[in-house]
Amino acid sequence: MGGWAIAVHGGAGVDPNLPMERQEQAKQLLTRCLNLGISALRSDLAAIDVVELVVRELETDPFFNSGRGSALTAKGTVEMEASIMDGPKRRCGAVSGLTTVKNPVSLARLVMDKSPHSYLAFSGAEDFARQQGVELVDNEYFITEENVGMLKLAKEANTILFDYRIPLGSESCSAGVESPLHMNGLPISVYAPETVGCVVVDNQGRCAAATSTGGLMNKMTGRIGDSPLIGAGTYACDLSGVSCTGEGEAIIRGTLAREVAAVMEYKGLGLQDAVDFVIKERLDDGKAGLIAVSSKGEVAYGFNCMGMFRGCATEDGFMEVGIWE
Amino acid sequence: MGWAIALHGGAGDIPLSLPPERRLPREAGLRHSLHIGVVALKANTPPLDVVELVVRELENIPHFNAGKGSVLTTDGTVEMEACIMDDKKRCGAVSGLTTVVNPISLARLVMEKTPHIYLAFDGAEAFAREQGVETLHSSHFITPENVERLSQAKEAKRVQIDYTQPLHKDEKKETPDADGDSKLGTVGCVAVDSFGNLASATSTGGLVNKMVGRIGDTPIIGAGTYANNLCAVSATGKGEAIIRGTVARDVAALMEFKGVSLKEAAAYVVEEGTPKGNVGLVAVSAAGEVTMPFNTTGMFRACATEDGYSEIAIWPNSVEN
């Protein structure tokens, strides 16, 4: 065992009717990001630097729901969030409510490295961004025509769905989850896979994880999901690095990312068994997926929904990019 | 078996020399809040309602760092956060509140009236207005003690810089202030009834002199607040350490995966899982046990169980006795 390993994801919950062309585009983007991470690892870059590098690439490309291409709030604006965690010493940084920061994951890194805190949000985070001199752009930069269209559909779907909606306050936090083709209360054709993420273990056995997102399409302004929450969407420690995606509320309640590491630590399970256990036992009615690496150089992923955009590679030459089971 | 309740008013560097005028009102506050919780449990009020009720009391008492009496950001403003969770893992959280009189109740409304778990800043304030909860001008929450604490904290930082002590991220030593209790963090309550229903609630103004927009452990499920069918936990102390240590979740995880008792799990997390001087917590189990460990100088705390036991304390029991 040993050696480096890397995994990336572009969201769990994929429309089975996604046109082949889009599926190809997704796979090419994942491959490109994977290769970026692989060259960095071959140049002995530390895990924490690799995850940041790769997630920056995913944020910059408008294809997935992070940075440019983020899902829109109910007001038609973009509010981005991200978190990053460094396994050794479990240092972490997170941001929410960003509207002008070009690369949220890098601001999360700065929170970790250059502030006395772990999590900054909204105008405080934007002020910090200005102080740190990171690249800032207008909110319009992040908005794509496609997502403007999706937002309209989501609002229409909500109007229809609302009539049949299971009364809020029932066990499942996401209404309308019975039909397998719904996620977060939206039909799968309208629902935007929520996040991008990357997990890495470098050739010194150090794990790191990072996650970034625009959040839920048509979300209430100020809504925070799982991506910036340490232990929910992102986690890294001496044993592993984990990044999750899917229904944010289910991931939060299941403290999913922490769970993988806890099960390894307290139950002695190996990485794949831990991932399988968590996906099977910790999601209740929720739909989600995750990618994970272990300090031993292993990589694993799991999801309980229709598809997850992902890619993974290990030092011994293994490489795979996929969408479906 | 039977009901149990525990609550805290913050763990930190509470000096043994704390003068009576700072100690007595807080002890009275703990006693009063405990009493309210006990009366409610005796009347078969569900734990979720009990913890909300008790934390509302603590938020209203200006001597604790939550609601009125919240510590101030570096800009001299108040930004409050809170979180509530029950054994079915339903949860709600809020951050960045500036006018909401009882943040814990808004967290509950997020849980019950939205498809989300966590709302923050302007969005949370807008939701508060939609819901018609009580709001007051932010000056309501600011107390003279906290204005003083902020100015001492700024002074201490200035002194630190003069001495050019490098700020090590992991240690984050703050020069002790004159009254020594500036690190006070959060209020919280956990409760269980005789049916094993559990709930946890935590509320705070955060860290003195914090950067505007800083979020701590309190609203982060699994860090400052957690509940499932085994136990309910509310943590207090240095937010950054509690987040990194996923403190509240780990207590429950140890019980579940290692089969240890509530007391053992909580002791392990506080003694082994987090650096000294950073953390305290209160927890109850489905079986009606209570534990209140801390690795700081002191923790304002109180608890009671159905068999008649009750306790109100600040320093370790060995010191109090």
Side-chain angles (χ1 to χ4, degrees):
Chain A
M1 277 289 151
W4 54 256
I6 176 172
V8 298
H9 72 73
V14 187
D15 184 357
N17 297 319
L18 191 68
M20 275 315 288
E21 193 189 288
R22 297 275 294 172
Q23 293 186 39
E24 274 315 304
Q25 262 185 296
K27 284 164 61 174
Q28 276 168 30
L29 174 55
L30 290 166
T31 306
R32 195 176 87 228
C33 291
L34 215 51
N35 283 327
L36 195 64
I38 292 169
S39 346
L41 282 163
R42 288 193 178 132
S43 324
D44 291 334
L45 211 60
I48 188 74
D49 295 319
V50 180
V51 297
E52 184 190 353
L53 186 68
V54 172
V55 172
R56 281 179 67 95
E57 189 64 26
L58 289 161
E59 284 170 342
T60 307
D61 194 294
F63 191 90
F64 291 124
N65 173 12
S66 69
R68 180 141 192 270
S70 279
L72 306 181
T73 67
K75 293 191 179 158
T77 56
V78 159
E79 277 176 9
M80 301 169 288
E81 45 199 20
S83 63
I84 189 166
M85 193 161 185
D86 194 10
K89 297 193 185 160
R90 290 172 297 161
R91 299 182 312 129
C92 46
V95 286
S96 279
L98 300 184
T99 52
T100 68
V101 175
K102 187 147 182 264
N103 286 102
V105 72
S106 293
L107 192 69
R109 174 103 193 243
L110 287 167
V111 170
M112 177 174 85
D113 288 342
K114 299 276 168 72
S115 87
H117 301 319
S118 295
Y119 190 6
L120 289 179
F122 292 89
S123 60
E126 290 273 324
D127 288 342
F128 178 66
R130 251 173 290 289
Q131 266 174 43
Q132 292 292 313
V134 301
E135 193 177 353
L136 302 174
V137 292
D138 284 334
N139 200 250
E140 281 74 46
Y141 163 85
F142 303 102
I143 299 175
T144 59
E145 220 176 277
E146 191 184 341
N147 279 322
V148 171
M150 288 298 218
L151 179 63
K152 252 183 94 197
L153 288 177
K155 285 183 182 285
E156 281 162 21
N158 267 340
T159 322
I160 298 165
L161 269 182
F162 204 82
D163 293 343
Y164 303 104
R165 183 168 286 201
I166 299 163
L168 289 174
S170 68
E171 300 234 350
S172 170
C173 274
S174 25
V177 116
E178 300 169 293
S179 161
L181 294 174
H182 278 81
M183 271 180 78
N184 265 308
L186 290 172
I188 197 78
S189 52
V190 175
Y191 165 80
E194 283 203 68
T195 65
V196 299
C198 178
V199 293
V200 163
V201 55
D202 60 30
N203 55 22
Q204 299 198 33
R206 296 174 295 202
C207 298
T211 316
S212 177
T213 189
L216 194 55
M217 185 66 77
N218 200 26
K219 67 183 177 182
M220 289 169 76
T221 320
R223 178 264 190 183
I224 292 178
D226 65 290
S227 300
L229 303 188
I230 297 297
T234 305
Y235 190 75
C237 61
D238 285 332
L239 290 179
S240 63
V242 185
S243 170
C244 305
T245 166
E247 293 182 324
E249 281 70 20
I251 295 169
I252 293 173
R253 294 160 79 211
T255 54
L256 226 63
R258 169 66 187 126
E259 210 65 3
V260 173
V263 150
M264 288 175 74
E265 192 177 340
Y266 300 143
K267 270 176 83 111
L269 293 189
L271 185 72
Q272 188 68 61
D273 286 341
V275 169
D276 293 340
F277 175 86
V278 169
I279 293 287
K280 183 155 180 277
E281 306 292 335
R282 286 295 115 113
L283 282 169
D284 300 329
D285 297 328
K287 300 271 178 243
L290 63 90
I291 53 174
V293 288
S294 75
S295 56
K296 294 192 196 149
E298 305 158 294
V299 70
Y301 60 83
F303 53 96
N304 70 351
C305 46
M306 179 74 66
M308 178 170 78
F309 293 108
R310 81 259 171 201
C312 43
T314 55
E315 191 166 5
D316 60 12
F318 170 75
M319 180 152 158
E320 176 199 281
V321 168
I323 302 177
W324 314 111
E325 234 358 287
Chain B
M1 279 300 211
W3 56 256
I5 179 171
L7 54 104
H8 68 75
D13 204 9
I14 310 167
L16 287 164
S17 56
L18 190 70
E21 64 268 22
R22 288 193 180 269
R23 178 172 56 84
L24 294 171
R26 283 153 168 170
E27 277 175 357
L30 291 171
R31 189 167 298 117
H32 170 74
S33 306
L34 182 68
H35 177 72
I36 288 187
V38 168
V39 164
L41 281 166
K42 282 181 171 161
N44 293 319
T45 309
L48 187 62
D49 295 329
V50 174
V51 300
E52 182 189 357
L53 193 63
V54 171
V55 170
R56 283 176 67 97
E57 276 308 303
L58 291 163
E59 284 170 340
N60 295 341
I61 296 170
H63 305 288
F64 294 116
N65 175 14
K68 189 178 166 115
S70 283
V71 299
L72 306 180
T73 70
T74 195
D75 281 3
T77 55
V78 154
E79 281 178 4
M80 301 172 286
E81 43 199 22
C83 182
I84 193 165
M85 189 163 188
D86 71 11
D87 56 277
K88 292 163 193 53
K89 295 197 282 183
R90 298 186 304 156
C91 42
V94 287
S95 280
L97 300 182
T98 51
T99 69
V100 175
V101 174
N102 288 104
I104 194 66
S105 294
L106 193 69
R108 180 141 185 205
L109 287 168
V110 172
M111 176 175 94
E112 293 180 338
K113 298 281 166 75
T114 77
H116 301 320
I117 285 182
Y118 191 4
L119 290 179
F121 292 87
D122 292 348
E125 286 276 324
F127 176 66
R129 270 151 196 76
E130 265 171 52
Q131 293 293 314
V133 300
E134 194 184 354
T135 57
L136 287 173
H137 187 269
S138 54
S139 56
H140 159 82
F141 304 92
I142 300 176
T143 58
E145 288 80 17
N146 279 311
V147 172
E148 181 59 26
R149 276 200 190 99
L150 179 63
S151 100
Q152 282 177 3
K154 285 182 184 272
E155 185 64 29
K157 258 207 167 142
R158 201 167 68 83
V159 169
Q160 250 179 346
I161 290 163
D162 288 346
Y163 288 174
T164 332
Q165 250 165 22
L167 278 174
H168 292 294
K169 210 24 214 306
D170 335 87
E171 295 154 285
K172 278 183 257 206
K173 286 196 176 66
E174 281 170 50
T175 316
D177 302 73
D179 65 6
D181 65 349
S182 75
K183 279 199 207 171
L184 227 42
T186 78
V187 300
C189 181
V190 292
V192 58
D193 63 19
S194 47
F195 302 108
N197 294 311
L198 294 142
S200 171
T202 318
S203 178
T204 189
L207 202 58
V208 180
N209 200 24
K210 65 183 179 179
M211 289 172 73
V212 168
R214 177 261 190 185
I215 292 177
D217 64 286
T218 294
I220 302 190
I221 300 291
T225 308
Y226 188 76
N228 65 9
N229 60 359
L230 290 175
C231 65
V233 184
S234 170
T236 166
K238 200 66 188 294
E240 285 72 14
I242 296 169
I243 291 173
R244 171 182 306 139
T246 52
V247 167
R249 173 68 191 117
D250 269 34
V251 173
L254 280 165
M255 287 180 75
E256 182 177 352
F257 298 134
K258 289 275 205 196
V260 298
S261 70
L262 178 76
K263 217 179 168 74
E264 287 170 308
Y268 182 85
V269 170
V270 166
E271 286 160 28
E272 313 288 333
T274 44
K276 197 157 165 54
N278 276 257
V279 173
L281 65 90
V282 295
V284 289
S285 70
E289 304 155 290
V290 177
T291 186
M292 305 191 290
F294 52 96
N295 67 14
T296 47
T297 312
M299 179 170 78
F300 290 105
R301 63 198 188 277
C303 69
T305 52
E306 189 165 4
D307 62 10
Y309 176 77
S310 84
E311 182 191 328
I312 295 175
I314 303 175
W315 296 283
N317 290 329
S318 48
V319 169
E320 301 253 348
N321 304 333

